[in-house]
Amino acid sequence: MKGKNRLFGLTVLFLVGTLPAALWGTIYGRIHRCPVSRPVDPQRPMVALTFNDGPHPRYTPQILDILYERQVPATFFLVGKNLRAGRLLVQEMASSGHQLECHTYSHRELTGRSGEEIRREVELSQKALENILPGEEFHYLRPPYGSFTPKAEEWAGLSLVRWTLDSQDSLGKRGEEIYFKVLDEVRDGDIVILHECQETIDILDSLIQALEEEGYQLVTLDQLVENLPPEKRKDLPIYGGEAEF
Ligand SMILES: [Zn+2]
């Protein structure tokens, strides 16, 4: 009996001691990733994959794993009110070399809202980001549903950005439909809008592979803006701020 008790005690000790350590090891590894860093060749076609609505406890880790596995940088438009709960995911995004931008604090439509309200959306989001990543700043705001009225960018104090290719993954499409919509319509210089949802995750790896096989470099929004020739850059759906061309 004594022997059994000892064995039980040792097992408990082992589990209590090693499980948290293993868990922390996994988390530590994720938030200290080597950043994805690929030189961009301005002569070759390029596309920016952008993900809206994160961080999300179930979807974001899956997206981050696929991007990391493929060594592809992306741009995440984050909802400020989700940041605190997604602290580790935001750290992982940053350490992996992804670009983090703002998708408002509350995810409410900007149309019809006052300058003060819009400014507050950005300020609260910025504060939430700085609590996680001191010194980090948002430079772009993607308005929920892409809708905004004149002066919104002035009130937000950030450049507003929409997209050039809508995957329509927020419209309840099946993964296969999302995959073919993007591949059929993609062109050099596209900003592709995707959402953090299971249908997109299901095809993300194949989509990245197919885009790369067609010769596209996958880049962040900043890399796209920096490397596109001026005649293509001026057509990007970016409004206001330093990014206006
Ligand atoms: Zn959204």
Side-chain angles (χ1 to χ4, degrees):
M1 198 61 192
K2 258 190 180 171
K4 262 189 184 171
N5 280 344
R6 189 173 297 155
L7 188 64
F8 178 73
L10 284 171
T11 308
V12 169
L13 205 64
F14 176 76
L15 290 176
V16 168
T18 54
L19 279 184
L23 194 62
W24 174 241
T26 308
I27 294 170
Y28 186 88
R30 293 191 74 114
I31 63 176
H32 291 90
R33 297 264 210 217
C34 288
V36 172
S37 153
R38 281 178 165 187
V40 180
D41 178 354
Q43 307 304 320
R44 286 180 46 217
M46 62 189 91
V47 162
L49 298 183
T50 67
F51 294 89
N52 278 19
D53 298 353
H56 187 283
R58 176 163 157 216
Y59 303 135
T60 310
Q62 299 181 68
I63 294 171
L64 288 173
D65 278 347
I66 296 168
L67 294 173
Y68 198 73
E69 198 67 29
R70 289 268 170 203
Q71 289 290 287
V72 161
T75 305
F76 287 86
F77 287 92
L78 304 171
V79 176
K81 67 178 179 187
N82 298 342
L83 290 187
R84 193 207 279 252
R87 185 181 189 88
L88 293 172
L89 295 170
V90 173
Q91 285 178 307
E92 184 180 342
M93 284 175 188
S95 78
S96 305
H98 302 303
Q99 185 175 343
L100 310 189
E101 299 297 349
C102 184
H103 192 38
T104 72
Y105 188 82
S106 66
H107 203 273
R108 281 170 54 210
E109 205 168 324
L110 295 186
T111 315
R113 298 179 67 192
S114 70
E116 188 48 44
E117 284 177 303
I118 292 177
R119 212 176 351 259
R120 188 101 183 109
E121 288 278 346
V122 174
E123 278 172 8
L124 286 173
S125 303
Q126 184 61 50
K127 212 173 268 178
L129 180 71
E130 274 179 58
N131 276 336
I132 303 171
L133 300 168
E136 276 293 313
E137 280 184 9
F138 291 126
H139 296 101
Y140 291 95
L141 170 68
R142 174 170 278 163
Y145 319 103
S147 61
F148 59 93
T149 43
K151 281 205 160 191
E153 70 269 21
E154 209 178 292
W155 291 330
L158 299 176
S159 299
L160 265 52
V161 57
R162 282 191 177 127
W163 52 88
T164 58
L165 200 174
D166 187 353
S167 67
Q168 297 191 338
D169 62 349
S170 61
L171 303 180
K173 284 195 182 294
R174 288 179 296 123
E176 195 185 328
E177 294 174 294
I178 298 163
Y179 175 88
F180 285 113
K181 173 126 185 31
V182 174
L183 278 186
D184 288 348
E185 296 180 13
V186 69
R187 288 175 318 163
D188 181 22
D190 265 334
I191 300 172
V192 182
I193 182 174
L194 298 157
H195 290 80
E196 299 209 13
C197 61
Q198 196 58 51
E199 290 72 20
T200 293
I201 290 165
D202 291 344
I203 52 93
L204 185 58
D205 186 62
S206 327
L207 181 64
I208 290 172
Q209 187 179 358
L211 288 169
E212 290 189 328
E213 278 172 6
E214 289 198 11
Y216 290 101
Q217 302 172 93
L218 298 172
V219 297
T220 62
L221 181 61
D222 273 347
Q223 288 173 323
L224 188 79
V225 170
E226 278 163 29
N227 289 287
L228 273 188
E231 67 276 12
K232 279 199 172 147
R233 202 167 54 194
K234 71 176 172 36
D235 292 334
L236 290 176
I238 295 177
Y239 314 89
E242 291 167 19
E244 194 160 43
F245 314 111

